[in-house]
Amino acid sequence: MAATIAKRRRKLRPGDVIFRLINGLIMISTIVVMIYPFWNTIAISFNDAQDTLRGGITLFPRVFSTYSYETVFKNDLMLTAAVNSVLRTLISTILGVGVSALIAYVLSRKELIGRRFITAYFLVTMYISAGLIPTYFLMKDLHLLNNFLVYIIPGLVSVFNVIVVKSFMQELPDSLTEAAMVDGAGYFRCFWQIVLPCCKPVLATVALWCAVGAWNQWFDTFLYASSKESLTTLQYEMMKLLSSSMQTGRDESSIFGSDQVTNTVTPASIRSAVTIVASVPILVVYPFLQKYFVKGVTLGAVKG
């Protein structure tokens, strides 16, 4: 083994060494450029708010403090909002992936009459929308205002996700399902036992997209459920907290009422803390889906 490695090293030409060196420097520089802003945000979030106003925070907090996080989690609605956000993310992801896979499977079948027209009809909805006001009245007519289902039903079908999954399914050999049908399997059994297991990479990719979209969403809460506190979401509460800290004062009493406090928060400290709190769940989930992500995107985009 050692002899093989030594032999390969001797074969390296000066040009190869220079290329590897430059390539390594470029990769390291790219990593630093991408990681530094997030790391700096963590440092600011754990730094004393008043000290942050002096500037100069880089990689580590100058005056360590967890008060910004205490301010974020001191909101009485934060626990309810967190539960709602987790529930809507889980339900939206599971149903979104399932519905996208079912529609994609139907559209990928060559024997479906008019599948090109149906696919084109779906694509039109990606570029043409009725607008905000008609959508609001539609939600009202469907009795979805101040209803938890308003977080689930409107975004249940994503045409983009359907097209990605459909493209992936079309790359699968037809012989897989044809052999099963010869043995007596129906369409649903072929979908459940043959096609779906082969689509793990693209389904994991779509699941990540659905989860990120549902977790980061706050505007639908503002439009359709802002008058019912039990339906508030984590992102919406953080948006209100951030807006309050930027518009009214810098101490906690301006955000939470008449509590007597001596510590202070600033827009920069609250913004950093909110960013980290909102990002951590997705950062925890992503490593488990990373191995499927690139494969799912590339294979799902080969054929339209």
Side-chain angles (χ1 to χ4, degrees), residues 69-176:
Y69 289 96
E70 294 173 13
T71 302
V72 170
F73 290 109
K74 209 168 188 178
N75 191 327
D76 295 333
L77 293 175
M78 199 61 70
L79 179 59
T80 300
V83 171
N84 287 335
S85 292
V86 171
L87 285 177
R88 73 169 292 179
T89 300
L90 289 176
I91 297 174
S92 296
T93 301
I94 294 172
L95 293 182
V97 172
V99 171
S100 297
L102 281 170
I103 297 175
Y105 175 67
V106 173
L107 294 178
S108 67
R109 302 301 303 177
K110 295 179 180 179
E111 56 267 34
L112 175 65
I113 299 175
R115 70 188 183 102
R116 291 184 180 275
F117 172 77
I118 297 173
T119 303
Y121 184 80
F122 277 13
L123 287 173
V124 170
T125 64
M126 293 179 61
Y127 305 100
I128 300 177
S129 173
L132 184 60
I133 295 177
T135 302
Y136 178 85
F137 283 111
L138 176 62
M139 297 300 107
K140 183 179 180 181
D141 292 339
L142 293 175
H143 304 288
L144 291 178
L145 296 184
N146 294 320
N147 188 328
F148 185 81
L149 291 177
V150 78
Y151 297 146
I152 309 299
I153 295 177
L156 194 59
V157 178
S158 169
V159 177
F160 178 78
N161 292 344
V162 170
I163 297 302
V164 171
V165 179
K166 169 180 169 291
S167 300
F168 189 97
M169 290 181 175
Q170 288 178 331
E171 292 296 309
L172 299 176
D174 294 336
S175 57
L176 290 176

